[in-house]
Structure formats: C-alpha cells, structure tokens
Amino acid sequence: MNAPAPASAWVLERDCAETGLDPEDIRAEMLRRIGEMRASIERGLASRAPSITGMVGWNAQGLWEAPDVLNAPLIRRVQAYAMAVNEENARMGRIVAAPTAGSAGTIPGALIGVADHLGIGDERLVAPMILAAGVGKAISKRMFISGAAGGCQAEIGSSAAMAAAAVVELLGGTPRAAVQAASMALMNTIGLVCDPVGGYVEVPCVSRNAFYAVHAVSAAQLALAQLESFIPPDEVLGAMASVGRMMPAALRETAEGGLAQTPTGLAVTARMEGREPEGPGGMVELPMA
Amino acid sequence: MSLLDMIGPVMIGPSSSHTAGACRLGLVAHHLLGEPAKTATIGLHASFAKTGRGHGTHLALVAGLLGYSPDDPRLPQAFAEAERAGLSAEFREVDLGDVHPNTARIELRGETGQVMVQGSSTGGGVILVTQVQGLGVNFSAASPTVLLRYQDAVGMIARVASTVAADGVNIAALTCTRENRGGQALLAIELDAPLSPEALAFFTAWKDTNWVRLLPKLMDG
C-alpha cells in the first residue's frame, strides 16, 4: 500500500487556491523563514545579554552549556532552542513570529530541535512547517491565537499544537496522526493563563516556550505510537474557545493576575516603572542592562 | 490570512501585536503621507498606552513612520534614526472609546501635506485600519489598497471602478464613507494587484478628486 499524501500537501493546495499564491513561492519563503529561525537560535545560544528588563537573557546558553545529567539530549536541545529564540525576542532581536512573537520559540524548538537531534536537513522541514502553519490557520479561524484574546492556552497552546503536527509529519506520521497530535497538545494546555510579569514578554514566556516545545514533542510521540485524542479535535478546539471566553481579563496579558501579581512580579513592575517596590518582593535583584 | 502570516512575520521582537503590528500601522501613515514626515503626534489607546513602552511599541511606530518594515534591524534605534531624518514624534495617552485595546491614532505632517490614520493591531502582526483623514475605513493592508478622497459626486464609484477594470485589476473589497451628502467622501479599494501609475494619475486629474494614494500590500501572505 502506498503511504498517504502528507497533510501538508493538502494544506498547501487549499491555501494557494484561496490566496492565489504560488505553491513554489510559499515553499521557498518557508525555507527562508526556517533559516531565519535557525539564525535566531544561533544568536540566542551565543548570547548572555540581558533582555529589556533584565529578567531573562542567559537561560538558553546556561542550559546548553550545563552538563546533561539526565542523559536526555533531545529534551535539552529542544528546550535550549526554544529559549534561545524567545530570549532573542525579549532583547528585541530578529525572530519569526510562529504564530506570535511571544510563542516564537515553540515551533523552532520542537521541529528544528528534533531535526538536529536526528540529523535531518532544513529542506525536509519545509513541508512540516507548512502543516504547522495550516494548523495555526485552522485554530485562528475558529478561535484565537493571542494571549490577550484567549489566555496563554490560545497563544502557546496554538504553537504547541502546530509544532506537534509538524513533528509528526517530519517523522513520517499519517495526516490523521498529525491532527491527533495537535489535538492532544491543545487538550493539555486548556486553561493556561497569560500572566506576564510587568506585562513584558519575558517571564514566564521564555521558559514557557521551552516547556511547551517539549510538550509538543510528547504529543507527537503519543500520536506516532497510534494513541489518539479521546475528545475529537473539533470539540477540543470548541472547549478551548469556550474557556478563553470565560477567562477574566486579568488572566489575559494584562499583567493583572497570576505570576504578574506575585510579590516578586509586583516588585519588578515597580522597578520598571521607576517606583519604589513595596512589600517582600522588594528584595529582588535585577541585573539591569 | 495565509500560511505566511502563521509562520511569520519575520520581525524584531518582543511582541507581534505590540511591535510588528505597531510598525505596520506606522507604515500605513508613512505611505499615505507620501513625503518625508516632519512631525508626528501619536495617541495610544488602552493596552498600547499601558504596556507599549516595554514592548517597543513607540520604537516600532516611529520605525514604521520612517518606512521601515517589522524586520528592519534599525527598528530598535528608530528614535535616533528619526532625529537624523528630522522627524519629531510626540506620544500621548488617549481614550478612543470602544475600540480594540491595541489602537493608535497617528497624525503625521510633512513639508506640504498631512495625514491622520487610526488603526488597531489585532494579533500576530495583523492590523486593521479604521480611520483615514477622519473618515471610517476597514482594511488590513493585506492587499494593495487605493485611498481616494473626493467631493461627493454622482457616479464617482462607477468611474473609479471602470478605471480599475480598464487597468486589468480586480477589486477585492471596497468601502465608501462620506461626511454628509455632497461633502468629503473617502473610497478605500482593496485590489488583487497594484494599480498602474497612469491609472493613479488619471484619478488625480479628475476635478472632484482631492487626494489619491496607493498603499502597497504590507502583509506577507
């Protein structure tokens, strides 16, 4: 029996029919963007420069250079790549929004991380990246992809779903498996709030990309082993949209809830606004740029 | 919305809505002014006002006013570049009412002309322009867009549409608003391809026309 056509072939055909764009142009541009992602990973791993606030900037390199005591090189690579991209983002470096800038590390972390671990070249990442984009587009049509609209479940949940489907296709999984991976990744981010400290795309955004890049790889692993999302993908998406609508504004990128309102979060916010911190979080020391 | 909007834009961080989208709003004003900008007064609404500073929103808006795209490496130095280019920008917090939280109102002046643009950054670098020169519009700059301001007159839309057709270009969407009957009207025409300079010059030559601009496609897809 012939292997089924990859899901990305269907996505590309449909999208080009809709937009009138040339499939070869899309493929070429995706390859260029994979190169941009790779460049941001390399700059991120090479730098320890602090971000705008000084809250992040050295985590990717710190992890990359630490001894791999768990003997889990794939996980370390995926996490370091994801953090490298988001630390570049936090210091106003050049990145590829995927689908947003706050979630820019998840897809390169998972997809390029797995590819590098297995010695797969960038040309073979084009089709999986197109599938990732197709999954993002499907989510954004039904729901939302920004933390401000639907909490972090919408933002990093979308990037993790996109990445999970892409990793499945990279590793030769069926279209069904790719969709199941995306569904499982989404199912397990439902309820995640967007609570950036001080309103900056730094804490918890940088480490959250590392965590959810691994989450995406996990979802791909399950789907490639024929496991399926118990709740069908469309229903998962509906549940996520409904949770997003129920979520109070304080948990949607306003920095008025969650981690942003902890004593340390408030102290950092006060510092950034040039005020004296109040309360116990006032002890926090920031290596300012 | 295309696949390239989902994996993209290639941009300078840290926020697609506060940085890349803001830059594109600045770019709209830049193209609609059509000459080097001298002064800018930028009103920031809600989230743009509250969290913009740390997201580089101010830098990105000014970068757009200078004609830089969201991935331009000069974006973080936009204030210094503006000073060199003779552009002074002033920011203020404004309440624009019941609009998207990431909305900016840009008043831009050059040597001879001025333009007012209001628009929102709706996420992932996508924008929606909601006002030009005080009149309501509704376009995303995802395709080339012609803006045409004229004295309300019978048959104007038919003349414009037939000129566009004669240029071999298809109209994707069109909005028309006017201050009042016989007053100033504004047409925003989203196109499948840019219009020729000849067609634009033809519009400009009409006696009822006050102002014509071709805004290039600013999105990737």
Side-chain angles (χ1 to χ4, degrees):
Chain A
M1 199 178 92
N2 289 329
S8 63
W10 185 83
V11 164
L12 187 59
E13 190 187 313
R14 286 279 296 254
D15 196 69
C16 288
E18 183 189 320
T19 60
L21 297 170
D22 182 324
E24 277 319 303
D25 289 348
I26 301 279
R27 291 180 55 83
E29 183 57 25
M30 280 296 179
L31 183 60
R32 194 181 76 76
R33 289 180 184 200
I34 290 162
E36 291 278 3
M37 285 178 173
R38 190 173 278 292
S40 66
I41 291 169
E42 283 165 9
R43 282 194 305 274
L45 290 179
S47 176
R48 293 181 84 90
S51 62
I52 300 167
T53 67
M55 283 190 279
V56 297
W58 46 89
N59 298 296
Q61 197 186 70
L63 174 65
W64 194 234
E65 291 180 351
D68 184 11
V69 290
L70 287 172
N71 192 22
L74 170 66
I75 290 176
R76 184 171 68 159
R77 185 181 290 274
V78 166
Q79 290 183 323
Y81 282 16
M83 281 200 281
V85 173
N86 278 81
E87 288 193 326
E88 268 300 281
N89 184 56
R91 57 173 86 92
M92 290 195 86
R94 184 180 166 99
I95 54 96
V96 184
T100 65
S103 62
T106 310
I107 293 172
L111 189 62
I112 301 181
V114 167
D116 283 2
H117 180 73
L118 299 174
I120 297 172
D122 283 358
E123 298 73 25
R124 281 181 53 200
L125 301 183
V126 172
M129 197 63 84
I130 285 168
L131 177 57
V135 169
K137 194 171 158 176
I139 296 172
S140 71
K141 276 189 173 171
R142 281 276 304 279
M143 203 220 163
F144 5 71
I145 55 161
S146 75
C152 212
Q153 56 160 14
E155 185 150 348
I156 209 127
S158 298
S159 67
M162 293 160 72
V167 170
V168 168
E169 175 152 324
L170 176 72
L171 300 181
T174 60
R176 181 177 179 88
V179 172
Q180 295 299 321
S183 181
M184 285 188 277
L186 267 183
M187 202 169 147
N188 292 288
T189 50
I190 286 186
L192 188 62
V193 305
C194 180
D195 52 353
V197 170
Y200 294 90
V201 195
E202 300 189 11
V203 175
C205 318
V206 170
S207 64
R208 203 165 270 178
N209 273 265
F211 278 98
Y212 284 91
V214 175
H215 175 79
V217 175
S218 299
Q221 172 119 309
L222 300 188
L224 286 163
Q226 313 295 319
L227 276 67
E228 300 218 327
S229 175
F230 182 84
I231 305 295
D234 274 351
E235 294 180 28
V236 172
L237 207 49
M240 188 142 145
S242 134
V243 170
R245 281 191 290 269
M246 285 182 217
M247 207 174 265
L251 303 178
R252 285 187 277 118
E253 211 195 322
T254 52
E256 286 167 358
L259 299 169
Q261 290 293 311
T262 56
T264 297
L266 290 172
V268 171
T269 309
R271 178 87 60 89
M272 292 311 296
E273 291 172 354
R275 291 183 282 117
E276 266 309 297
E278 299 162 16
M283 296 300 289
V284 69
E285 282 297 323
L286 286 180
M288 300 298 286
Chain B
M1 175 85 45
S2 96
L3 298 174
L4 295 174
D5 298 316
M6 285 292 141
I7 303 293
V10 180
M11 58 168 284
I12 304 296
S15 166
S16 38
S17 54
H18 287 78
T19 319
C23 179
R24 282 175 168 155
L25 289 173
L27 268 175
V28 172
H30 163 81
H31 286 293
L32 295 188
L33 183 65
E35 62 176 311
K38 294 284 171 204
T39 62
T41 308
I42 304 172
L44 299 175
H45 173 77
S47 173
F48 259 11
K50 295 207 181 332
T51 69
R53 191 68 70 177
H55 284 115
T57 303
H58 303 64
L59 289 167
L61 278 160
V62 169
L65 296 179
L66 292 169
Y68 302 172
S69 58
D71 69 338
D72 195 301
R74 296 169 294 180
L75 191 149
Q77 289 84 47
F79 289 163
E81 298 287 346
E83 204 175 321
R84 202 168 321 172
L87 164 65
S88 74
E90 183 196 316
F91 292 90
R92 55 180 66 150
E93 191 169 338
V94 291
D95 182 353
L96 299 172
D98 187 19
V99 296
H100 191 283
N102 291 330
T103 296
R105 186 186 180 98
I106 305 168
E107 290 165 45
L108 195 60
R109 284 183 182 279
E111 199 73 55
T112 59
Q114 61 83 36
V115 70
M116 190 286 276
V117 172
Q118 182 173 316
S120 310
S121 171
T122 61
V126 176
I127 60 166
L128 188 67
V129 182
T130 51
Q131 274 191 36
V132 170
Q133 305 294 46
L135 288 169
V137 290
N138 184 11
F139 62 87
S140 64
S143 47
T145 305
V146 167
L147 280 294
L148 197 139
R149 196 158 197 248
Y150 58 94
Q151 202 69 34
D152 184 26
V154 173
M156 192 67 171
I157 293 177
R159 283 156 71 196
V160 170
S162 58
T163 306
V164 172
D167 213 32
V169 175
N170 200 17
I171 294 177
L174 182 150
T175 56
C176 178
T177 49
R178 58 182 184 178
E179 287 167 337
N180 48 48
R181 188 184 287 204
Q184 285 286 305
L186 182 73
L187 253 182
I189 316 162
E190 295 171 75
L191 303 162
D192 284 353
L195 275 192
S196 67
E198 292 74 26
L200 290 170
F202 187 55
F203 288 153
T204 312
W206 292 343
K207 70 172 174 52
D208 297 321
T209 311
N210 302 126
W211 183 80
V212 180
R213 290 285 185 275
L214 175 63
L215 178 68
K217 166 179 159 175
L218 299 181
M219 299 298 292
D220 296 335

